[in-house]
Amino acid sequence: MTRLGFVGDVMLGRQVDDKQRSRSVEAVWGDCLDFLREFDGLFANLECCLSDRGQPWRRTDHTFHFRADPEWAVPALERAGVDCCALANNHVLDFETEALLDTLDALDDGGIAHSGAGRTRDDALDPAVVTADGLDVAFVSLTDNTPEYAATDSASGTAHVEIDVENPETRATVEEALARADATDPDLVVASLHWGPNMVVSPPARFRAFAKWFVDSGVDVVHGHSAHVFQGVEVYDGAPILYDTGDFVDDYAVDATLRNDRGFCFEVVVKGGAPATLRLHPTEIEDCAVREATDEAAVWSRERMRERSEPFGTSFDRDGDALVLSL
């Protein structure tokens, strides 16, 4: 049995960065640190660059710019046991190319695998490969956000695609990325997708079709993020599709209705080389740190997850604070 943890957006910049300069490296993980460290593999979307260099992106309109000091951020990721970061998102180039390159170097120096951004398009499409308790996991990261951040043959950036299974360019890019993952001879393939707009609680039909195409193409887990709120879970051909894993830690303003400060750590238990069980552990964000959810927050999140998953025919059991689903 191998336990893999998946979390949504980990944004370590702005106020999080400010607070971390005067508190312990582990403080950003609140009372979740020991829990996170128990996973055999831990995967996150890194929603910022790691650098003390660069100027805010001004080539096109871009409102928010997220950057964290790698001197504390990399040790924090290491101490939580983060094994791999998705970098295909709309913030990894917030402080231009030199900060992106610093991010790649900082993660490499910390021994943290990454996929989804690189010095060229070729680099950005390469999978990360993580060995978790003897299980080889190939991790592919793609985004439909911020097309101006897309890597090219001569420019650094992200692995960018349109979310359209009929788009020939999309099909070619996805097939290339998955072929590279398959070439590593993995036991498990994860597709991490930073897709869609903010504050949307359900995926559109084309996202569902896209996710199922990935599963049909050999993906074992779909790890979605971008909306800042969690969306429902669907199981397709035995593969969990986590349409959006929400926010895990950040300094964002909280919507009083959608409660983007509440969410889950998603645990996929793998047995016999295939996902067997999904467990959802309630969390919440407070004071720029992630914490185990209070009873009130946990109840709210469980109810919302049940509601958002029901249209996909997904129903959960309960084990303590967690929601549990057999795959």
Side-chain angles (χ1 to χ4, degrees):
M1 181 181 76
T2 303
R3 298 175 61 220
L4 304 179
F6 295 89
V7 300
D9 293 355
V10 172
M11 200 293 286
L12 304 177
R14 294 196 314 192
Q15 294 180 58
V16 181
D17 188 52
D18 291 343
K19 285 183 177 292
Q20 283 296 115
R21 293 170 189 266
S22 60
R23 63 187 187 184
S24 71
V25 166
E26 297 94 344
V28 70
W29 310 119
D31 60 1
C32 293
L33 181 64
D34 290 342
F35 171 75
L36 294 173
R37 292 177 61 85
E38 291 175 357
F39 288 115
D40 297 305
L42 181 57
F43 303 82
N45 175 57
L46 183 63
E47 187 83 339
C48 62
C49 55
L50 305 179
S51 179
D52 59 4
R53 303 192 303 153
Q55 297 298 317
W57 175 281
R58 301 298 186 202
R59 287 185 254 171
T60 55
D61 183 39
H62 197 66
T63 304
F64 301 108
H65 301 86
F66 301 151
R67 176 177 61 178
D69 185 347
E71 290 297 315
W72 74 261
V74 173
L77 294 169
E78 290 178 302
R79 294 187 194 184
V82 174
D83 293 283
C84 186
C85 290
L87 298 182
N89 59 53
N90 55 318
H91 288 291
V92 75
L93 259 173
D94 280 0
F95 284 80
E96 286 282 358
T97 301
E98 61 183 342
L100 167 59
L101 299 183
D102 285 349
T103 303
L104 302 176
D105 290 341
L107 292 173
D108 287 342
D109 290 346
I112 300 170
H114 52 83
S115 179
R119 288 168 172 79
T120 63
R121 176 185 179 277
D122 190 59
D123 293 337
L125 287 179
D126 271 346
V129 179
V130 171
T131 300
D133 190 35
L135 187 82
D136 292 331
V137 181
F139 183 89
V140 172
S141 172
L142 300 166
T143 184
D144 72 334
N145 286 193
T146 320
E148 58 267 39
Y149 280 13
T152 68
D153 291 341
S154 59
S156 302
T158 61
H160 183 271
V161 295
E162 295 296 327
I163 307 300
D164 180 358
V165 296
E166 303 300 329
N167 183 310
E169 186 173 348
T170 292
R171 293 189 70 90
T173 299
V174 169
E175 288 166 3
E176 180 180 356
L178 293 182
R180 293 188 188 194
D182 187 61
T184 69
D185 192 26
D187 299 307
L188 202 80
V189 178
V190 175
S192 193
L193 306 175
H194 199 71
W195 54 355
N198 297 343
M199 312 309 278
V200 175
V201 300
S202 61
R206 63 189 176 93
F207 281 37
R208 294 186 66 190
F210 199 76
K212 291 177 179 179
W213 173 46
F214 268 80
V215 176
D216 288 337
S217 301
V219 169
D220 299 288
V221 179
V222 176
H223 171 221
H225 34 85
S226 179
H228 298 308
V229 292
F230 61 82
Q231 296 178 353
V233 170
E234 184 167 13
V235 180
Y236 175 69
D237 197 21
I241 300 174
L242 317 177
Y243 281 109
D244 204 293
T245 47
D247 289 345
F248 195 63
V249 62
D250 56 49
D251 69 347
Y252 303 154
V254 176
D255 185 288
T257 300
L258 296 179
R259 296 308 304 254
N260 49 298
D261 59 332
R262 294 176 174 176
F264 297 94
C265 178
F266 295 74
E267 175 184 351
V268 176
V269 179
V270 180
K271 295 181 180 179
T277 307
L278 177 67
R279 299 177 65 88
L280 276 57
H281 305 275
T283 62
E284 61 182 320
I285 302 166
E286 180 184 352
D287 193 28
C288 296
V290 61
R291 305 187 184 281
E292 295 181 13
T294 63
D295 290 344
E296 176 189 359
V299 168
W300 186 94
S301 293
R302 286 193 297 265
E303 289 177 351
R304 299 292 88 70
M305 178 57 78
R306 291 183 189 276
E307 291 171 1
R308 295 171 190 178
S309 299
E310 192 276 334
F312 309 136
T314 304
S315 58
F316 293 93
D317 293 322
R318 173 92 178 273
D319 182 12
D321 285 341
L323 293 175
V324 182
L325 176 65
S326 295
L327 302 172

